[in-house]
Amino acid sequence: MQQHRPAPRIKAALAQIGAWVLDQPVPSALEGQCCDRLRPNQIRLELLQSLENNGLGSGNLVEWRWDARQGQAKGWLWQAGALQRFRWSRQSGRLTLHEQLNCVTTTPMQALR
């Protein structure tokens, strides 16, 4: 009975593909909202508690992400017509806010007669 062996050219091509796959760089860490790993539920609960402790419990998290290497959450908070960038350190509990946009409501424009 004959054994089937890959032709030399096919064997060489397979070896090159294997080398190419092993030579690929490791994918970079996920960033943004591409994965819920970046916004784990336990971190979200602790972040919400920290916001509450700092008198910001009425604010809404617009977008945020968790950086496991730095142990920090950062993102955007909407509260009382102001959009604020925040950074929160889980270990120290330190919360810093930077106001980015302050929205003010006014009466609608009226047509002149």
Side-chain angles (χ1 to χ4, degrees):
M1 185 188 243
Q2 268 187 338
Q3 274 189 328
H4 293 288
R5 292 186 180 158
R9 292 171 71 180
I10 294 175
K11 189 174 181 181
L14 290 174
Q16 285 179 343
I17 290 171
W20 177 81
V21 169
L22 294 175
D23 190 39
Q24 294 304 301
V26 177
S28 61
L30 296 173
E31 293 188 16
Q33 291 184 340
C34 54
C35 179
D36 277 343
R37 280 189 345 205
L38 299 175
R39 296 182 299 170
N41 193 45
Q42 180 61 33
I43 301 298
R44 183 181 67 80
L45 294 174
E46 290 178 33
L47 174 58
L48 291 173
Q49 183 62 49
S50 179
L51 292 171
E52 183 76 32
N53 293 343
N54 285 287
L56 301 169
S58 62
N60 295 317
L61 289 174
V62 175
E63 186 275 328
W64 68 280
R65 69 179 177 142
W66 171 246
D67 185 337
R69 288 187 200 136
Q70 294 182 356
Q72 293 182 346
K74 55 185 168 181
W76 299 91
L77 176 71
W78 176 263
Q79 183 189 28
L83 183 64
Q84 300 173 332
R85 188 175 45 149
F86 75 86
R87 186 178 303 255
W88 171 70
S89 173
R90 184 180 190 194
Q91 188 165 357
S92 69
R94 182 172 182 224
L95 177 70
T96 57
L97 296 171
H98 303 281
E99 190 170 289
Q100 298 295 311
L101 179 65
N102 194 357
C103 300
V104 190
T105 57
T106 60
T107 60
M109 292 176 49
Q110 296 179 351
L112 298 174
R113 291 185 187 194

